[in-house]
Amino acid sequence: MRYLVVLLLGLVTGVAIALAILFYNPFTAQISLSPLAVSDSQQISLRYSAVAEDSIIITNSGDSSRLQPNPVKVLQLWEAPISNTDVLVTLLHDSRNKSVGIGVKFSSRSERTRLLNGKALVDSAWYIYLPGKGSMLIEQSENHWAFLRDVIIPARWNSGNKWRGNWQGIITDGPGALGTARVYGGSGIYSGLNSEAIETHTAKAYSTDVGPVAMEGRLTIDLSVEVDDETSADASIY
Amino acid sequence: MIKTFIFGIILGLAGAFAALHFVSVVDQHRESSLISVTRNGGNTEVFHINLPIDRIMTGAQGQANPLPPGMEWPNDPIFSNVRAELFKLRNARDAIVGVASRFALSDPEFGDKIEWLLHLPARGSVFVRMSPQPVDRSRVGDLSAGTREFGSMLGQVSERWIADTSGSSGDLTGRIELSMNLLSKEQYVPDAEDAE
């Protein structure tokens, strides 16, 4: 009996060590420099609030572990094939905080998630419409491991279920070779655009009850790659 | 005793890493796809949206009763020519398989367009642009881009409104039918007219 208790204690210690290695694994450090930062090509930057209350709508399965849907009476995505999906509709702002467009983001937790490799993956698709400019689709694979490790887990450990600080990270993790998202032009001046983008999050406060309390997302879109419509090259920079 | 403890630690470490490696954190539910193969080697798949029960959002300026209730659609004049809708998407067996957005755009410079983004979590997304003018009661548009499973496809998607006149479906007023006719880019052979 004594040996069984000691074995169980050893097992628990082993699992705890494994989780500590996973949590402090230095090989899963996030990319801090945007692959687009070294590009001298034309880019647009679109900002949005990642706080649920600031969105036009946000909906998901309504689980307590997810962001709370907004507004409260929005139809929830409780059916099994879409229960791992979030839908966000938000205003997009330029760098002067002027509303320039509307974005719809569909994001679904990915089956390629491997926590052992520091990959908490989400497959997402942005539809972006900028009046007077045009529309585009952004396809990306997002890695939320760094946000989970640096913000969500510390918030859960905190006695008040809150986190405060200054966290910034690139969440885009592909499918581009340099870890960039793919951009496909739709209508208007972006017709024929075939380019790259990255999405960055900046968090200042997080609560386990309501999700992000002060957090901003930023999409940086490169406009210079394989634009087959000449007018697209004249797109002004926001 | 100490050997048992060390053995327990090793067992715990190995078990935890094995579980992290082999056990899937995300288990995506899949419905069986209902696809018809066409003569050119492509495939046809039909989705639909039952209205009003599958409508998640209707965003447009000047709505007396916004959907969902309590939503604040932006009043900025630049969005005056936009009507945005969100839906749940069903397959031919009437099972929910995804979500979709539909934007009806009326841009003074670039003309009118209807743009769909269909998102099927287990498979990928489909971005479609279509002309607002119907042909034979359907609007037809090209697949502008696809992601994951649809990334290597090209083809067309048609949108058709089918009103429910039977009165047997309770509150349903009808449905939007979306028919996708896709072909792998590898299988596509341009005909003589296209080649010119």
Side-chain angles (χ1 to χ4, degrees):
Chain A
M1 186 65 186
R2 266 195 329 175
Y3 279 95
L4 189 64
V5 172
V6 170
L7 182 69
L8 283 174
L9 277 174
L11 272 171
V12 171
T13 310
V15 171
I17 292 170
L19 294 178
I21 291 170
L22 185 73
F23 190 77
Y24 294 107
N25 185 357
F27 297 108
T28 58
Q30 67 173 117
I31 305 164
S32 53
L33 180 66
S34 158
L36 301 183
V38 290
S39 164
D40 56 0
S41 56
Q42 200 169 33
Q43 296 176 353
I44 57 171
S45 181
L46 301 168
R47 295 166 45 245
Y48 68 94
S49 170
V51 179
E53 277 183 3
D54 296 341
S55 63
I56 296 173
I57 76 157
I58 184 164
T59 187
N60 51 38
S61 62
D63 286 352
S64 56
S65 62
R66 314 276 291 270
L67 284 178
Q68 290 307 296
N70 176 59
V72 180
K73 289 185 178 173
V74 67
L75 196 59
Q76 294 182 0
L77 313 179
W78 53 267
E79 294 88 351
I82 54 173
S83 62
N84 283 320
T85 299
D86 288 79
V87 179
L88 167 75
V89 181
T90 185
L91 263 179
L92 298 170
H93 304 273
D94 65 8
S95 50
R96 294 180 206 126
N97 211 26
K98 185 180 159 203
S99 303
V100 291
I102 292 174
V104 177
K105 186 182 192 185
F106 295 130
S107 29
S108 302
R109 291 175 185 172
S110 172
E111 288 174 315
R112 291 177 292 111
T113 289
R114 289 287 176 271
L115 296 181
L116 193 56
N117 303 333
K119 301 270 185 190
L121 299 179
V122 170
D123 293 316
S124 70
W126 273 100
Y127 169 80
I128 289 173
Y129 173 62
L130 308 177
K133 301 279 180 186
S135 62
M136 63 182 88
L137 167 74
I138 299 178
E139 169 199 13
Q140 66 177 341
S141 174
E142 302 171 10
N143 187 0
H144 290 261
W145 172 248
F147 184 71
L148 194 70
R149 184 190 58 196
D150 300 341
V151 177
I152 298 177
I153 294 174
R156 290 205 180 272
W157 282 345
N158 183 281
S159 56
N161 286 335
K162 288 182 173 65
W163 172 91
R164 276 185 183 279
N166 209 336
W167 184 90
Q168 183 171 20
I170 296 167
I171 60 160
T172 306
D173 190 52
L178 294 173
T180 52
R182 287 203 188 108
V183 181
Y184 305 96
S187 54
I189 61 171
Y190 304 124
S191 174
L193 180 75
N194 192 350
S195 181
E196 296 173 299
I198 58 146
E199 184 171 354
T200 313
H201 282 180
T202 305
K204 291 189 172 163
Y206 186 91
S207 157
T208 55
D209 299 329
V210 295
V213 176
M215 185 161 140
E216 184 184 270
R218 181 186 291 264
L219 285 161
T220 306
I221 303 162
D222 193 307
L223 290 178
S224 63
V225 186
E226 293 180 38
V227 180
D228 61 23
D229 179 351
E230 284 184 5
T231 55
S232 299
D234 297 325
S236 63
I237 300 171
Y238 285 118
Chain B
M1 192 77 83
I2 191 77
K3 281 182 183 171
T4 309
F5 184 66
I6 290 169
F7 178 71
I9 290 176
I10 294 167
L11 203 63
L13 272 168
F17 284 131
L20 283 166
H21 183 73
F22 291 109
V23 179
S24 182
V25 179
V26 179
D27 185 16
Q28 180 63 55
H29 179 89
R30 286 176 163 76
E31 291 287 335
S32 305
S33 298
L34 299 162
I35 297 171
S36 312
V37 179
T38 52
R39 282 192 298 175
N40 66 353
N43 61 65
T44 300
E45 197 168 2
V46 180
F47 299 96
H48 69 272
I49 295 157
N50 289 337
L51 292 179
I53 58 170
D54 292 338
R55 196 193 300 273
I56 301 169
M57 181 195 86
T58 303
Q61 290 184 352
Q63 291 186 106
N65 299 305
L67 183 78
M71 178 187 72
E72 290 178 23
W73 189 251
N75 277 324
D76 194 313
I78 63 166
F79 302 118
S80 61
N81 297 323
V82 182
R83 180 183 167 86
E85 292 169 287
L86 282 181
F87 305 102
K88 290 182 181 179
L89 192 64
R90 294 172 188 264
N91 67 5
R93 280 202 194 100
D94 212 32
I96 301 274
V97 290
V99 281
S101 70
R102 181 185 190 271
F103 272 63
L105 311 170
S106 179
D107 195 299
E109 197 171 340
F110 304 114
D112 298 346
K113 274 276 176 244
I114 288 173
E115 298 187 331
W116 281 94
L117 179 59
L118 315 181
H119 179 70
L120 306 167
R123 300 172 63 187
S125 302
V126 175
F127 181 34
V128 182
R129 286 186 299 143
M130 49 181 68
S131 166
Q133 279 75 41
V135 179
D136 290 338
R137 295 192 300 165
S138 293
R139 294 190 180 94
V140 181
D142 291 324
L143 173 70
S144 287
T147 75
R148 293 192 282 152
E149 183 185 309
F150 304 104
S152 60
M153 311 292 266
L154 48 84
Q156 290 190 320
V157 178
S158 65
E159 171 203 292
R160 190 160 62 117
W161 166 249
I162 302 169
D164 181 15
T165 51
S166 67
S168 59
S169 311
D171 293 337
L172 291 187
T173 56
R175 62 188 198 168
I176 300 171
E177 190 179 86
L178 293 163
S179 177
M180 286 203 308
N181 300 291
L182 304 180
L183 179 71
S184 164
K185 285 173 186 169
E186 291 169 4
Q187 289 177 296
Y188 175 65
V189 181
D191 58 31
E193 208 171 279
D194 287 345
E196 282 168 21

